[in-house]
Amino acid sequence: MASFAGVRDNALVGYGLVVGLDGTGDRTTQAPFTGQSLTNMLSQLGITVPPGTNMQLRNVAAVMVTAEMPPFARPGQNLDVVVSSVGNADSLRGGTLLMTPLKGADGATYALAQGNLLVAGASASGGGSSVQVNQQSGGRIANGATVERGVPLDLGANGGLLELQLQTDDFGTAQRAVSAINQEFGRVVASARNARVITLDGPRDANARVNFMARIENVQVTPTEEPAKVVLNSRTGSIVLNGQVTLHRAAVAQGNLSIVIDSTFGVSQPNPFTDGDTVVVQDTQVSIQQQPGTLKVVEGADLLEVVDALNSLGATPNDLMSILEALKEAGSLRAELEII
């Protein structure tokens, strides 16, 4: 329902190389950055590759490494990492990720990743046929990264003040949360800054602050009812209504218009011993069909009645979208209409 400001995960990303693949790595002629990365890495290890050398390596793949560093992470802790191919490698199965720095949004290195990949699924091919279960161009390394530095987070640095952020903007819920928190502590420790942010007057001592935040998390608050809303997904045709939607009395008529184009092909054959050519003739017929639409009265005081009224129209989800938009414009649909 709410979270403390600053207590969040931090995304890390890095670029590295996976080695030890069984001929399923990048084709370096099509992914030249893999060869460049390998040349740079070898130069750091004291190995010089002659200029112009075309290394046809199929056991190496360039990858992107991502991880989520939780709040309060300290050096020495381990993180799970996800390794994804950025080239044209066929599979990362059996590969080993070389040491890869993981950086944050500020460009600083916060962790180092290395280890053997675990790739789910399998693939096999032979005789021109192939089969694959799950994708092979990505894998995970459990505890594959070690935190080298933590993200600075000083809770209560401003005289012990904390911010509690609600997940949704709601003045009623914010007011209820403030009342419940103040009732829990028997004094005024919380005040609403706006519909989302609540300011807390916490203790300055770190141990006391942890106990204070634990009590805040266990406070029971009943949020206010969500406003009436109808969500239309224009891509999938799905429609979702919450329990507050009502439908005032209205009459609706919906008629379907369909255009049918039917094409048939025939062959025109010339007479024998003539100079004519055999040609294909296309015969196209276009017909328009329109189903009659009759006026139907729709009305509903609760969600079940609204659903029954809309179902009585016998319209498809796409038709219901246009009907709901028309009902909203007519003032019959008492709900917010959101299209995603």
Side-chain angles (χ1 to χ4, degrees):
M1 183 176 177
S3 60
F4 289 98
V7 182
R8 63 179 183 85
D9 294 340
N10 293 276
L12 303 179
V13 65
Y15 172 83
L17 293 175
V18 171
V19 299
L21 303 176
D22 189 12
T24 59
D26 291 338
R27 290 172 284 276
T28 53
T29 55
Q30 301 174 3
F33 50 84
T34 303
Q36 295 173 3
S37 302
L38 184 61
T39 301
N40 295 336
M41 184 197 69
L42 293 177
S43 65
Q44 295 177 4
L45 298 177
I47 301 174
T48 302
V49 179
T53 302
N54 187 10
M55 297 184 296
Q56 297 294 330
L57 305 176
R58 289 302 309 274
N59 295 340
V60 183
V63 295
M64 296 300 296
V65 184
T66 58
E68 293 289 335
M69 188 167 70
F72 312 115
R74 289 295 179 264
Q77 295 182 351
N78 295 326
L79 307 175
D80 296 341
V81 297
V82 177
V83 182
S84 305
S85 172
V86 295
N88 50 15
D90 296 329
S91 174
L92 298 182
R93 177 178 293 276
T96 300
L97 175 68
L98 299 182
M99 186 172 59
T100 303
L102 300 182
K103 299 182 179 182
D106 57 355
T109 299
Y110 289 90
L112 295 177
Q114 181 171 282
N116 299 325
L117 272 73
L118 175 61
V119 179
S123 62
S125 61
S129 301
S130 62
V131 62
Q132 178 173 317
V133 179
N134 296 334
Q135 60 96 12
Q136 305 291 302
S137 58
R140 292 178 58 89
I141 305 177
N143 297 327
T146 302
V147 177
E148 297 297 329
R149 59 181 297 187
V151 177
L153 176 60
D154 191 4
L155 291 174
N158 188 16
L161 291 179
L162 300 171
E163 283 189 357
L164 190 66
Q165 298 176 344
L166 299 178
Q167 301 298 332
T168 57
D169 298 330
D170 190 348
F171 289 101
T173 302
Q175 187 272 332
R176 292 186 181 185
V178 169
S179 299
I181 293 173
N182 292 335
Q183 184 178 359
E184 169 71 19
F185 289 90
R187 57 187 180 90
V188 178
V189 298
S191 60
R193 183 175 298 176
N194 48 49
R196 181 182 289 266
V197 179
I198 297 174
T199 302
L200 303 174
D201 185 10
R204 299 187 178 185
D205 178 68
N207 183 63
R209 187 184 306 117
V210 171
N211 296 331
F212 175 81
M213 296 172 69
R215 291 182 63 182
I216 294 292
E217 290 181 337
N218 291 324
V219 173
Q220 299 293 328
V221 178
T222 302
T224 58
E225 294 290 341
E226 290 289 336
K229 179 179 290 187
V230 178
V231 181
L232 308 178
N233 192 323
S234 59
R235 294 181 297 272
T236 63
S238 58
I239 303 173
V240 179
L241 299 80
N242 66 1
Q244 304 301 317
V245 177
T246 59
L247 194 62
H248 288 202
R249 193 174 183 86
V252 179
Q254 178 74 11
N256 293 328
L257 179 67
S258 60
I259 300 176
V260 180
I261 302 177
D262 186 13
S263 298
T264 58
F265 294 89
V267 178
S268 176
Q269 184 70 28
N271 295 327
F273 307 106
T274 62
D275 294 334
D277 297 328
T278 301
V279 296
V280 178
V281 180
Q282 181 179 359
D283 183 17
T284 303
Q285 296 181 353
V286 180
S287 62
I288 300 178
Q289 300 176 358
Q290 184 174 11
Q291 298 178 1
T294 58
L295 283 172
K296 290 189 177 181
V297 177
V298 293
E299 186 179 11
D302 55 33
L303 181 61
L304 183 58
E305 293 181 359
V306 171
V307 172
D308 291 339
L310 295 176
N311 287 336
S312 66
L313 298 174
T316 63
N318 288 329
D319 292 335
L320 281 178
M321 289 185 182
S322 60
I323 293 174
L324 289 171
E325 288 181 336
L327 289 173
K328 176 66 175 179
E329 292 296 328
S332 175
L333 180 65
R334 297 303 177 93
E336 178 185 353
L337 203 58
E338 180 178 351
I339 301 177
I340 61 175

